[in-house]
Each structure stands twice: as C-alpha cells, then as structure tokens.
Amino acid sequence: MNDLLLSSYDYNLPQELIAHSPIEPKENAKLLVYNRKDKSITHTTFASFIDFVPKDSTLIFNDTKVIKARIYGNKIHKDSANGAKIEALFHRAIGESVFLLQFRGRLKVGSIVKFDNGVFAKILKDCGGGFKEASFSRDYNFLSCMNEGEFLEFLEYCGVVPLPPYIKSDSNNKEVEYNSIFARNLGAIAAPTASLHFSKESFATLQNIFKHAFVTLHVGAGTYLGVCSENILEHKMHKERFFIPQKTIDILKDSKHITTIGTTATRVVESYFRDGITSGECDLFLNPKNKPIKTNAILTNFHLPKTTLLMLVSSFVGLSELKRIYKEAIDNKYRFYSYGDGMLVL
C-alpha cells in the first residue's frame, strides 16, 4: 500500500450514505473517535464530544462565513440583455476590483454579462477550466468598478448559497444550515464542515470548559477538488486567504495541547507554526510525508475520495488506519461529506 499513490485514496461509498441535510438536533450526529495510542475506535454521538477531548486542550475554530457566491445572469451585447444564460461562482478577490470566478457558459475576454440589480461583469482574463478574472460595475461602460466590499454586498443581495454538487437539498434555510453558529467573517464559498456539528448550547458548553480561539480561513472550491497527479506530491495545492488575530496567536503560543475543529483550522495552525505568517494565502498540503507538527487532535468529517482532505487525515493516522476507519464508518452506516457525521482523531 503506497501512501504517495492517488489510487490509494479511493474508496467506494454507497450513495445512500451521502448526507443531504444536517441532523437535528446536532448532538445526535454520530461521532467516531479514533485513538492513535492504541488504535481503538469508539462509536458515540456528538452529545459525548466533550468527554473525549483532553481537558487541557485548546480548541481552534474557523470563523469564516459562507457567502452567497453563486450568481446568475445573461451574456449581453450592447443595449441587449437577451443573450445566453450564464452561471458564475465567486472564488476570491484577485485585487481591489478584480475577482476570480468560475463561469458556466461561453465567454471570451471582453465579454459582458448582466446580473440582477443592474450589475455588469466584464471578462478580463481566461485562466482555463472555466475560471476567469472579471471586474464588476453598475454601468455598462465600466467607468467605475466595484471594490471588494461593494462586490460582497452585491453577492449577499443577489447570490445564492453554493452547496456542494453532491448535496441534493430543497431547503429554504441553506444560509443558516450551511454556516456554523459562530461564523462571522464573510468570504468562504464552502463551509468548514466540522464546525456545523455544534449548536448554540453545545458551543456555549465548550467555551465554558475549554480554552479556545478563532482563526479565519476563507474556504474555496479547491478544498473539494480531486487530486489529478498519480503521485500526490506533484499536486499543486490551492490557495485560500487566512487571518490569525493577535489574541489567537498569544493563545496558540501558550497551548500545550491543540485540538483543531476541521481541516481548515488545522492548515492555518500548522502553517503558522511553520512560517510564522499571520495573514495571506495558505497553500499548505498536509499528507503522510508532511505531517502535523503542532496539532494534537482533530475533529473532521468523512471526505470525498482522492481529495487533499483525505490525505490530510492520513497525515494524522496513516493510510492503512485511514482505510480501516473509513470501512468501519461505512459498515456502521455513518453519513458522509458536508452534512454528515464526524470523526475525532486523538
């Protein structure tokens, strides 16, 4: 079993185990606890989460908030809005007035798309794979382009929450369901899903018992993209914007045991302890050949095959144990992916 081969991170998941909605109450979600010391597996629920985390552990949460990043419009010619329908998914800001989006529809550099609320987009650069750089304006001639704050306000007014394609949901409450109860910093296009397991009540309990702190990493679509290179070390990791407040830095420096809530919080913590940078773009790729150096425990969900998320979990437990854990989860009918059940690695 080669932990550098992409094919080693594949597995078969029965379709009925893909979660399409969150469990309510949240405490009823299943929790698989894996102890690295004795390789034991315990099956429980999130109602017992606090019983397994060491009491001297510091919990690190990602407080990013999912924005309404998917927008719909029409390709237009001057004085006409009757062109082909266009779908766009915002990824990140490139500059103050330039944004990277993934478009569905034929668009060349110079094309203009009209969206709701009298907003226009001009394609500035084709980055391949449907990704394009664009600027946005409230006038056809682009005499003044939106800055990032104005653009995010537009998304909040005209966009929709971009659930992953494997979730088939007709819920009218996506904005709440697909954000953690402590989400506050707008910028993500996908949720840090381990955080979704906590209700207001359980989170309040955690805050009373454990030292805790927040980091911000704006999750991008790249977090779910599959790895294409057969040798995983040849994979070019996606970049995501992050920020660590000074209060969190002080807490991290003083922490003897760290439990990260989710893969995104893990990558921020591990990145900080490697290079000391507190803001910018994180492209850290944790895998069996690049293991955590500071994180002692991690709460995470069950992830898609052949993704960097799966390889990150393998960096904690090793490939053979990863396969055993996932087989155990499938055999015990755990729910997978964003709205699914969780696992705590100690």
Side-chain angles (χ1 to χ4, degrees), residues 73-77 83-88 102-114 121 123 126 129-132:
N74 293 86
K75 181 180 178 181
I76 67 170
H77 302 289
K85 291 183 178 180
I86 299 294
E87 176 184 331
Q102 188 174 17
F103 287 87
R104 287 187 180 179
R106 293 184 178 182
L107 293 170
K108 298 184 296 184
V109 172
S111 295
I112 294 179
V113 180
K114 184 177 182 181
I123 306 303
D126 190 334
F131 289 92
K132 294 174 172 61

Side-chain angles (χ1 to χ4, degrees), residues 212-230:
H212 62 281
F214 298 92
V215 298
T216 302
L217 183 139
H218 294 314
V219 189
T223 194
Y224 297 119
L225 293 178
V227 175
C228 295
S229 55
E230 185 54 29

Side-chain angles (χ1 to χ4, degrees), residues 11 28 42 44 52 54 63 70 87 95 120-121 126-127 163-164 175 180 184 189 202 227 276-277 292 310 315 318:
Y11 67 91
N28 285 356
T42 303
T44 183
F52 290 91
D63 62 7
R70 181 166 281 121
E87 176 184 331
F120 299 87
D126 190 334
C127 303
L163 292 182
E175 188 176 357
S180 69
R184 58 187 175 188
I189 66 169
S202 63
V227 175
I277 297 175
L310 206 57
S315 75

Side-chain angles (χ1 to χ4, degrees), residues 28 30 35 42 45 54 61 80 148 159 170 186 232 234 238 261 281 290 302 326 331:
N28 285 356
K30 293 180 181 179
N35 192 315
T42 303
T45 68
F61 299 89
S80 172
E148 184 174 357
D170 56 3
L186 282 170
I232 66 170
E234 295 175 0
H238 58 281
I261 307 302
E281 292 188 326
N290 187 25
F302 294 95
Y326 268 57
D331 289 345

Side-chain angles (χ1 to χ4, degrees), residues 78-92:
K78 193 169 185 179
D79 302 323
S80 172
N82 298 320
K85 291 183 178 180
I86 299 294
E87 176 184 331
L89 177 65
F90 167 70
H91 278 249
R92 59 189 176 95

Side-chain angles (χ1 to χ4, degrees), residues 7 53 60 68 71 80 120 146 169 229 250 273 295 300 326 343:
S7 54
V53 180
I60 304 297
K68 297 176 181 179
I71 49 179
S80 172
F120 299 87
M146 290 181 172
S169 171
S229 55
D250 295 339
F273 280 104
T295 307
T300 188
Y326 268 57
M343 63 181 291

